[in-house]
């Protein structure tokens, strides 16, 4: 099957298929400690956040999702316009397809055309890195005038994918070379199975300063690939580190200067706030965004964001907290 058809299948299954983890993201084990005397007005609350030393209007990164097939143009156009209007960072989907088929570049370049000032990240799989030239990397960055490069780690997905990669050697060294030589920051993320403290330490030592832990609890890419396979292997459908657990593992020995993005089953503003209380600098989501766009277009995406932003402000108010920099684990209790 071509990469274009595979990308289209991925989006369709994520929106309509039964592809979520059976295990939860782990945030359900915590409750907020209610503050009956917040001594705040709702309009005093500041929900802005910083990442890469840059200020954003809301601590939500619109995660890498799509690109590389004709239908992705309209999706990326809507998301790009939305992120430009709301001062949110976002990442395009894997750009492997455009390296193999130059005619697919439009599904990525539309992002910068529609979001001239937004923070946009390029994206490539770790498995592809050892085979790519610097020219390939520069092309991916140039097509969208990227502000950062996302390298996604997805060994579970690759092993479950009928046409997936089976060789995971040389990825860490390639990441280190890019960190040393690129002028834009490198973000390393999982695709939903989580990053452990051990892996985070290796990435930081290689020069990575931003990690998206992308834990288990949202989309199971094992389930996605098994839904596409003639010989599915469901044994690994629930494999992975829950997002809250991965966050705590890394936070316990977090190197100085490392920024953490929490994603993986971030399903509402309560999850966002809990992740930040547990040490995340930022959060990210993909599935609710792509679902809103596919099902309801621009209006659906705007409505979804208004609800999340409103609810996040409510959380901070009910904790008596004026901005996200004040959030910490003291506002949580284990059930």
């Amino acid at each position: 099957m071509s990469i274009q058809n595979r990308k289209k299948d991925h989006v369709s299954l994520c929106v309509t298929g039964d592809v979520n983890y059976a295990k939860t993201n782990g945030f359900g084990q915590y409750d907020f400690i209610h503050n009956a005397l917040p001594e705040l007005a709702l309009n005093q609350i500041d929900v802005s956040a910083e990442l890469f030393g840059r200020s954003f209007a809301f601590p939500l990164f619109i995660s890498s999702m799509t690109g590389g097939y004709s239908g992705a143009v309209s999706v990326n156009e809507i998301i790009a316009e939305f992120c430009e209007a709301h001062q949110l960072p976002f990442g395009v989907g894997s750009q492997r397809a455009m390296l193999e088929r130059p005619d697919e570049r439009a599904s990525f370049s539309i992002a910068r055309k529609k979001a001239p000032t937004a923070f946009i990240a390029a994206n490539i799989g770790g498995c592809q890195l050892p085979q790519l030239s610097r020219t390939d990397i520069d092309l991916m960055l140039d097509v969208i005038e990227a502000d950062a490069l996302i390298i996604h780690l997805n060994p579970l997905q690759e092993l479950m994918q009928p046409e997936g990669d089976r060789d995971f050697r040389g990825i860490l060294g390639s990441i280190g070379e890019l960190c040393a030589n690129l002028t834009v920051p490198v973000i390393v993320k999982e695709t939903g199975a989580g990053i452990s403290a051990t892996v985070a330490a290796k990435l930081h030592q290689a020069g990575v300063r931003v990690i998206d832990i992308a834990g288990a609890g949202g989309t199971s890419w094992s389930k996605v690939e098994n839904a596409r396979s003639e010989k599915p292997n469901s044994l690994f459908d629930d494999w992975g580190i829950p997002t809250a657990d991965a966050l705590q593992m890394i936070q316990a020995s977090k190197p100085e200067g490392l920024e953490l993005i929490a994603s993986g089953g971030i399903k509402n503003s309560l999850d966002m706030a809990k992740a930040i209380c547990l040490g995340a600098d930022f959060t990210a989501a993909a599935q609710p965004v792509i679902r809103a766009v596919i099902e309801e277009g621009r209006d659906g995406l705007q409505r979804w964001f208004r609800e999340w932003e409103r609810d996040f402000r409510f959380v901070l108010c009910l904790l008596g907290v004026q901005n996200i920099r004040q959030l910490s684990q003291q506002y949580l209790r284990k059930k």
Side-chain angles (χ1 to χ4, degrees), residues 8 21 47 58 76 93 125 127 154 159 182 200 210 212 232 249 306:
K8 190 174 181 179
Y21 274 91
V47 294
F58 194 59
N76 280 341
C127 287
N154 61 338
L159 291 174
L182 289 184
V210 180
D212 182 344
M249 287 177 189
R306 283 196 300 269

Side-chain angles (χ1 to χ4, degrees), residues 12 14 33 41 52 73 121 226 232 284 296 315 319 331-332:
S12 177
C14 286
I33 299 172
F52 321 102
V73 175
N226 278 322
E296 301 181 77
V315 171
L319 295 177
Y331 295 102
L332 297 177

Side-chain angles (χ1 to χ4, degrees), residues 12 17 23 44 74 79 93 99 102 133 194 204 261 289:
S12 177
K23 68 172 65 174
Q44 287 182 290
S74 60
I79 294 172
L99 295 177
S133 67
H204 185 262
I261 301 172
V289 177

Side-chain angles (χ1 to χ4, degrees), residues 127 153-160 165-166 168 190-191:
C127 287
L153 308 177
N154 61 338
L156 173 62
Q157 181 187 6
E158 296 289 354
L159 291 174
M160 296 300 106
D165 289 303
R166 298 294 185 267
F168 307 107
E190 237 285 347
T191 56

Side-chain angles (χ1 to χ4, degrees), residues 14-316:
C14 286
V15 172
T16 63
D18 179 17
V19 294
N20 284 341
Y21 274 91
K23 68 172 65 174
T24 70
N25 58 22
F27 293 116
Q29 64 188 301
Y30 297 97
D31 266 341
F32 290 107
I33 299 172
H34 173 61
N35 184 347
L37 283 171
E39 291 292 329
L40 278 174
L42 188 63
N43 62 10
Q44 287 182 290
I45 292 172
D46 175 13
V47 294
S48 66
E50 288 190 1
L51 194 67
F52 321 102
R54 181 165 167 172
S55 182
F56 297 97
F58 194 59
L60 184 68
F61 198 113
I62 306 302
S63 283
S64 309
M65 285 174 286
T66 192
Y69 69 98
S70 57
V73 175
S74 60
V75 173
N76 280 341
E77 178 180 2
I78 291 172
I79 294 172
E81 289 177 340
F82 167 79
C83 289
E84 177 77 9
H86 294 283
Q87 292 180 272
L88 300 178
F90 76 110
V92 298
S94 173
Q95 290 172 273
R96 180 181 182 182
M98 60 154 269
L99 295 177
E100 298 182 9
R101 291 177 57 92
D103 56 328
E104 297 295 346
R105 292 177 190 173
S107 66
F108 297 99
S109 61
I110 188 68
R112 181 54 75 192
K113 290 178 182 177
K114 296 297 180 178
T117 67
F119 187 100
I120 307 177
N123 181 11
I124 192 65
C127 287
Q128 284 80 61
L129 278 187
Q131 288 78 48
L132 296 182
S133 67
R134 180 58 189 270
T135 300
D136 293 326
I137 298 294
D138 287 342
L139 176 60
M140 291 191 307
L141 297 172
D142 290 345
V143 162
I144 60 172
E145 298 174 43
D147 298 291
L149 172 63
I150 293 171
I151 299 167
H152 65 266
L153 308 177
N154 61 338
L156 173 62
Q157 181 187 6
E158 296 289 354
L159 291 174
M160 296 300 106
Q161 192 176 105
E163 60 276 69
D165 289 303
R166 298 294 185 267
D167 189 346
F168 307 107
R169 295 173 295 180
I171 297 174
L172 184 61
S174 297
I175 290 173
E177 288 181 20
L178 288 177
C179 289
N181 294 299
L182 289 184
T183 57
V184 298
V186 172
I187 306 167
V188 175
K189 74 182 297 289
E190 237 285 347
T191 56
I195 288 179
S196 68
T198 300
V199 170
K202 290 179 179 178
L203 291 170
H204 185 262
Q205 189 172 12
V208 177
R209 294 295 175 263
V210 180
I211 292 175
D212 182 344
I213 60 174
T219 300
S220 166
W221 284 94
S222 175
K223 282 188 176 181
V224 172
E225 297 301 349
N226 278 322
R228 302 177 54 248
S229 175
E230 294 180 359
K231 297 180 179 180
N233 180 359
S234 61
L235 184 63
F236 297 92
D237 283 357
D238 222 32
W239 179 280
I241 309 168
T243 304
D245 294 347
L247 184 56
Q248 287 192 293
M249 287 177 189
I250 298 172
Q251 187 65 21
S253 57
K254 180 182 173 183
E256 186 176 353
L258 178 65
E259 292 185 294
L260 295 178
I261 301 172
S263 71
I266 301 292
K267 60 184 181 298
N268 53 46
S269 294
L270 298 182
D271 287 343
M272 286 181 63
K274 288 177 182 179
I276 295 171
C277 283
L278 291 173
D281 299 283
F282 223 80
T283 66
Q287 190 186 62
V289 177
I290 196 75
R291 178 177 286 117
V293 173
I294 296 295
E295 293 180 352
E296 301 181 77
R298 287 177 172 82
D299 290 343
L301 185 57
Q302 294 286 356
R303 183 162 50 251
W304 165 81
F305 180 71
R306 283 196 300 269
E307 291 174 358
W308 274 45
E309 185 186 35
R310 176 202 65 198
D311 292 346
F312 191 76
R313 289 180 186 275
F314 286 178
V315 171
L316 268 59

